[in-house]
């Protein structure tokens, strides 16, 4: 008949051992994720609840006592401060951005409320005798969300009067502290501005000196008046030069005319004209053949020859044309025109020199004006910077002498707002914390004690064998154990036994006494049901019953003395507490259904885990666990065992 796994487990002739028994079955496995039973540990803790209560009471009492010792009466008072905006109206000029101290953000302002300096000064002024090192534990500050209002709080350990006095002084010192911050910043800025002003003044002095030297060197005093005067002077020189040139031309023409006239006023020409008149008179009377006419012609010819001789090859000798009244007068006029022409020529030369000088001066003016204006602009820029820096210096001096600070008291300390501290809260809180810590410490101690006990649950038995739970057999009462084995036989074991299935019981985890008791009770259960003794084939070399005779209900076959020859017509249970020797080891290759017997003790589970490599090497996965469990004491542990049993069945 086939087993529940679908394999034939008989040892009949012709059967062939499975070369890979570990792969021949796919039975159920135990898959609980933990190697210990948390329910057992919890039950061990809960069963010792008086100790937990004692730990809570002791630790809570100690915490309450410490809370009472640390509790001191205090008087809490808060003062509201509003953030003062940095003033922007202090501006002494219309240009540039006025100086003002840095506008601190809310986080920085919050830090100023708890600064050490105002706290120390407030302690000195209030004279309340508090330790400066402990004052920071008595104060706090916070911002009212969404507003510019901040609260400073003082927990006075002395009296309500001290709370009012200290908060008043503290608020004043906080604002004075921020005033000093602004003044320090303004002092630093003032030093910087003073250096800048001094540097600009030196620069302006140097620029003025450069302008003066440039004016001296270039003979230029600035402005376009001097350029206009130079242009006007050049125009006058041009006009005078043109006038002089016109006068010279006119004098030259007059001198030429008079020269031509004086040349006709020489005595020889006068004689020639007289001779020509006389010749005309003679020709009116005589012919040209007349000796008088001929003589006169010869005289005229002579006079022409003389005139040709006196025609100058170079400059005329005007004195040669004098001697007549008209010649004398022309001579005098020519001398006058000559002098006037010479004066006009000299004036033209002087005016041309002046014109060239004036034109060259005017040609230099663009470069001179540009250079001069650059110097002036540089000086003006420095002057503008000096004016701006001087104004900023005045503003910085205002803040350096009288800074407003960053805070203003929004609501003065009010004695009606004092809140006395509670004398119960701290002892209650510390007592509660002590009770919790005491409970935790006691729980950890109980967990340690529960873990150190030798007893284990069926859940941990299955975790040690990695096999599902088949039966949980109690060891306390004989009738209870027999009833459990009867139930195991009827519901599980007989199904395989009557099917001629050869089953293996792996028992190295059980003590010899417990195992003998188990076989005795199991054989009694089978004898009651079948009426026949239970046949057990022991594969282990050392016999379990060497010094104890087996009961009549048990047919024990010892492998050390007799080797069985099983047949298909009869079923037999195999038992092994260690690895069989010799040929008996080959039988393990045909086992595909076996059960592990473990006791609910720590050493038994340790032995089961120790022998697990042998079963993994020679046997398929274990098909079930028989847990030989000692019944616990107390309802809590019994309930925990029931829950462990339910979980073991749930994960099987």
């Amino acid at each position: 008949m086939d087993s529940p796994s679908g394999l034939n487990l008989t040892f009949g002739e012709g059967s062939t051992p499975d070369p890979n028994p570990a792969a021949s079955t796919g039975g159920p496995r135990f898959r609980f994720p933990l190697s210990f039973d948390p329910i057992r540990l919890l039950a061990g803790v809960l069963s010792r609840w008086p100790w937990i209560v004692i730990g809570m009471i002791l630790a809570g009492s100690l915490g309450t006592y410490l809370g009472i010792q640390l509790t001191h009466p205090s008087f809490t008072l808060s003062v509201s401060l509003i953030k003062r905006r940095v003033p922007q109206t202090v501006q002494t000029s219309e240009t540039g951005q006025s100086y003002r101290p840095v506008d601190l953000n809310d986080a920085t302002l919050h830090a100023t409320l708890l600064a050490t300096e105002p706290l120390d000064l407030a302690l000195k002024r209030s004279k309340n005798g508090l330790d400066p090192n402990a004052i920071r534990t008595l104060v706090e500050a916070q911002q009212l969300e969404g507003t510019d209002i901040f609260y400073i709080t003082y927990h006075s350990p002395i009296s309500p009067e001290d709370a009012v006095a200290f908060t008043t002084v503290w608020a004043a010192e906080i604002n004075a502290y921020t005033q000093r911050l602004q003044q320090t910043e303004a002092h630093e800025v003032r030093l910087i501005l003073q250096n800048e002003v001094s540097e600009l003044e030196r620069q302006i002095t140097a620029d003025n000196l450069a302008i003066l030297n440039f004016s001296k060197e270039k003979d230029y005093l600035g402005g376009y008046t001097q350029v206009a005067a130079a242009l006007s002077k050049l125009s006058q020189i041009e006009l005078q030069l043109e006038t002089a040139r016109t006068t010279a031309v006119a004098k030259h023409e007059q001198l030429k005319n008079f020269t031509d006239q004086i040349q006709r006023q020489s005595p020889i020409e006068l004689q020639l004209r007289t001779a020509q008149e006389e010749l005309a008179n003679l020709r009116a009377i005589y012919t040209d053949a007349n000796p008088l006419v001929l003589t006169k012609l010869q005289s005229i010819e002579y006079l022409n020859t003389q005139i040709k001789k006196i025609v100058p090859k170079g400059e005329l000798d005007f004195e040669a044309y004098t001697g007549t009244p008209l010649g004398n007068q022309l001579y005098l006029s020519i001398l006058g025109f000559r002098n006037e022409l010479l004066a006009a020529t000299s004036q033209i030369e002087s005016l041309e020199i002046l014109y060239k000088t004036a034109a060259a001066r005017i040609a230099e003016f663009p470069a001179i004006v540009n250079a001069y204006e650059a110097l002036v602009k540089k000086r003006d820029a420095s002057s503008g910077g000096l004016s701006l820096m001087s104004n900023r210096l005045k503003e910085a001096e205002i803040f350096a002498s009288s800074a407003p600070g960053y805070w203003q008291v929004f609501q003065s300390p009010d004695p009606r707002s004092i809140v006395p501290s509670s004398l119960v809260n701290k002892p209650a809180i510390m007592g509660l914390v002590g009770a919790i810590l005491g409970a935790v410490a006691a729980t950890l101690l109980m967990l340690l004690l529960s873990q150190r006990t030798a007893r284990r649950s069926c859940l941990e038995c299955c975790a040690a064998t990695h096999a599902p739970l088949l039966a949980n057999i109690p060891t306390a009462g004989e009738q209870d154990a027999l009833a459990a084995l009867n139930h195991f036989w009827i519901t599980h074991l007989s199904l395989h036994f009557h099917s001629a299935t050869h089953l293996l019981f792996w028992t190295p985890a059980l003590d010899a006494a417990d195992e003998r008791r188990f076989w005795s009770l199991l054989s009694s259960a089978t004898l009651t049901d079948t009426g026949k003794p239970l046949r057990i084939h022991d594969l282990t070399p050392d016999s379990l019953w060497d010094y104890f005779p087996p009961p009549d209900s048990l047919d024990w076959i010892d492998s050390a003395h007799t080797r069985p020859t099983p047949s298909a017509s009869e079923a037999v249970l195999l038992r092994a507490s260690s690895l069989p020797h010799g040929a008996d080891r080959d039988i393990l290759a045909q086992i595909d259904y076996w059960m592990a017997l473990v006791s609910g003790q720590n050493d038994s589970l340790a032995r089961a885990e120790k022998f697990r490599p042998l079963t993994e090497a020679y046997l398929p996965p274990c098909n079930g666990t028989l847990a030989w469990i000692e019944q616990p004491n107390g309802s809590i542990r019994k309930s925990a065992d029931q829950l462990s049993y339910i979980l073991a069945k749930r994960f099987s």
Side-chain angles (χ1 to χ4, degrees):
M1 181 177 179
D2 293 339
S3 67
S5 60
L7 297 176
N8 192 348
L9 299 181
T10 60
F11 289 101
E13 295 182 358
S15 61
T16 303
D18 190 353
N20 188 8
S24 61
T25 183
R29 302 290 293 162
F30 184 76
R31 302 184 181 279
F32 188 68
L34 301 177
S35 61
F36 61 91
D37 185 0
I39 298 177
R40 179 183 63 82
L41 296 177
L42 180 60
V45 172
L46 295 179
S47 64
R48 298 179 176 91
W49 64 268
W51 293 104
I52 298 177
V53 173
I54 293 173
M56 291 178 61
I57 294 174
L58 292 178
S61 300
L62 179 60
T64 303
Y65 175 76
L66 292 177
I68 294 174
Q69 295 299 318
L70 295 177
T71 300
H72 302 284
S74 64
F75 305 91
T76 302
L77 180 60
S78 297
V79 177
S80 59
L81 303 176
I82 188 170
K83 183 170 63 174
R84 189 198 301 269
R85 297 295 178 181
V86 177
Q88 304 180 12
T89 57
V90 182
Q91 185 168 357
T92 58
S93 66
E94 296 181 357
T95 59
Q97 185 177 2
S98 62
Y99 166 77
R100 59 173 182 164
V102 62
D103 195 1
L104 303 179
N105 56 30
D106 290 349
T108 307
L109 289 173
H110 186 275
T112 62
L113 297 177
L114 299 176
T116 304
E117 183 178 342
L119 281 173
D120 293 342
L121 293 176
L123 281 177
K124 290 181 180 179
R125 289 182 56 185
S126 61
K127 299 179 181 179
N128 53 13
L130 292 178
D131 185 5
N133 297 323
I135 186 62
R136 298 190 66 86
T137 62
L138 303 176
V139 296
E140 57 182 305
Q142 61 180 355
Q143 181 182 11
L144 184 60
E145 186 176 0
T147 67
D148 289 338
I149 297 176
F150 289 73
Y151 288 97
I152 55 174
T153 304
Y154 170 55
H155 306 280
S156 174
I158 301 175
S159 64
E161 293 76 13
D162 175 67
V164 175
F166 183 83
T167 51
T168 302
V169 175
W170 186 25
E173 288 298 334
I174 287 174
N175 192 47
Y177 173 67
T178 58
Q179 288 177 349
R180 290 192 293 273
L181 289 179
Q182 291 180 346
Q183 289 175 344
T184 301
E185 180 184 356
H187 278 298
E188 294 175 355
V189 174
R190 185 178 66 177
L191 292 176
I192 296 174
L193 292 175
Q194 286 176 346
N195 294 333
E196 291 293 330
V197 168
S198 300
E199 183 63 28
L200 288 173
E201 289 176 347
R202 288 193 295 270
Q203 184 64 40
I204 291 173
T205 302
D207 292 340
N208 288 330
L209 183 60
I211 292 174
L212 180 61
N213 293 333
F214 184 83
S215 298
K216 290 180 179 180
E217 180 183 352
K218 301 297 183 180
D219 191 19
Y220 181 71
L221 300 178
Y224 292 98
T225 304
Q226 192 171 356
V227 178
L231 291 174
S232 177
K233 181 178 179 181
L234 182 64
S235 298
Q236 291 177 1
I237 293 173
E238 285 182 341
L239 182 60
Q240 292 176 359
L241 181 60
E242 190 64 27
T243 302
R245 286 174 178 170
T246 303
T247 302
V249 171
K251 295 301 179 182
H252 186 272
E253 291 295 328
Q254 290 177 352
L255 181 60
K256 181 179 179 182
N257 292 332
F258 275 83
T259 301
D260 292 339
Q261 291 180 9
I262 199 171
Q263 287 179 357
R264 293 192 295 272
Q265 298 301 324
S266 65
I268 296 175
E269 288 185 353
L270 182 59
Q271 292 176 8
L272 179 60
R273 284 195 296 271
T274 301
Q276 288 175 347
E277 290 176 357
E278 290 176 355
L279 177 60
N281 291 331
L282 289 177
R283 282 181 173 176
I285 300 174
Y286 304 103
T287 62
D288 291 339
N290 187 288
L292 293 173
V293 174
L294 293 172
T295 302
K296 190 57 69 179
L297 288 172
Q298 291 177 353
S299 297
I300 290 172
E301 183 178 0
Y302 173 76
L303 290 174
N304 285 329
T305 304
Q306 293 297 320
I307 289 173
K308 291 179 181 179
K309 288 182 178 180
I310 65 173
V311 173
K313 296 181 180 179
E315 186 179 357
L316 291 177
D317 184 9
F318 293 105
E319 293 180 356
Y321 298 96
T322 60
T324 62
L326 183 57
N328 293 335
Q329 186 178 358
L330 290 174
Y331 177 72
L332 294 175
S333 297
I334 288 172
L335 291 179
F337 286 134
R338 269 185 153 182
N339 292 332
E340 291 177 359
L341 179 60
L342 182 61
T345 303
S346 299
Q347 187 178 8
I348 289 172
E349 292 177 355
S350 299
L351 290 175
E352 285 180 347
I353 294 172
L354 290 176
Y355 181 81
K356 290 180 180 179
T357 303
R361 175 66 173 171
I362 291 173
E364 292 176 353
F365 269 126
I368 294 174
V369 170
N370 290 334
Y372 185 84
E373 289 182 350
L375 293 174
V376 172
K377 287 181 179 179
K378 183 180 179 183
R379 193 248 341 252
D380 293 342
S382 299
S383 299
L386 177 61
S387 176
L388 183 61
M389 289 298 175
S390 299
N391 292 324
R392 296 294 88 83
L393 179 59
K394 293 178 182 178
E395 296 163 1
E397 289 174 346
I398 292 174
F399 281 97
S401 59
S402 58
Y406 291 103
W407 296 109
Q408 182 178 358
V409 177
F410 184 71
Q411 183 177 356
S412 300
D414 188 357
R416 295 171 297 179
S417 301
I418 296 176
V419 179
S421 63
S422 175
L423 301 179
V424 179
N425 290 342
K426 185 177 289 186
I429 293 174
M430 294 191 67
L432 179 60
V433 172
I436 294 174
L437 294 178
V440 171
T443 300
L444 293 177
L445 180 60
M446 296 305 105
L447 283 174
L448 179 61
L449 295 176
S450 298
Q451 182 63 20
R452 290 177 64 86
T453 57
R455 183 183 176 278
R456 297 292 182 263
S457 66
C458 60
L459 190 65
E460 290 169 301
C461 292
C462 295
T465 60
H466 291 184
L469 181 66
L470 296 180
N472 184 17
I473 305 170
T475 63
E478 193 75 15
Q479 296 299 323
D480 293 337
L482 184 59
L485 286 174
N486 277 326
H487 183 268
F488 169 66
W489 166 260
I490 295 297
T491 60
H492 188 82
L493 187 57
S494 64
L495 297 176
H496 301 283
F497 187 80
H498 291 296
S499 302
T501 302
H502 296 277
L503 307 177
L504 173 65
F505 284 81
W506 183 254
T507 64
L510 251 64
D511 291 337
D514 291 336
E515 187 178 358
R516 284 192 291 270
R517 183 170 177 232
F518 169 77
W519 289 118
S520 299
L521 293 173
L522 181 60
S523 62
S524 298
T526 58
L527 181 63
T528 302
D529 183 48
T530 62
K532 297 179 180 180
L534 179 63
R535 295 191 67 188
I536 302 297
H537 174 45
D538 188 4
L539 301 179
T540 305
D542 53 336
S543 177
L544 181 65
W545 303 95
D546 283 344
Y547 303 103
F548 301 93
D552 296 336
S553 59
L554 186 62
D555 185 7
W556 193 270
I557 303 172
D558 191 351
S559 177
H561 303 89
T562 304
R563 184 169 185 187
T565 56
S567 63
S569 60
E570 57 180 354
V572 65
L573 295 180
L574 302 179
R575 177 262 180 185
S577 62
S578 63
L579 186 66
H581 291 177
D584 292 338
R585 190 178 299 175
D586 297 336
I587 301 176
L588 298 180
Q590 300 183 20
I591 300 299
D592 59 355
Y593 195 93
W594 63 281
M595 292 168 284
L597 271 70
V598 292
S599 175
Q601 298 294 324
N602 188 30
D603 55 349
S604 177
L605 301 187
R607 289 195 299 270
E609 293 178 354
K610 176 182 178 182
F611 283 95
R612 189 185 303 154
L614 292 177
T615 60
E616 291 176 353
Y618 288 91
L619 293 172
C622 184
N623 296 93
T625 301
L626 293 178
W628 189 257
I629 302 296
E630 179 184 356
Q631 291 298 315
N633 297 322
S635 58
I636 295 178
R637 286 192 173 92
K638 289 181 180 179
S639 300
D641 263 26
Q642 292 296 324
L643 290 177
S644 297
Y645 176 77
I646 294 173
L647 282 180
K649 298 298 289 184
R650 173 65 180 81
F651 286 95
S652 295

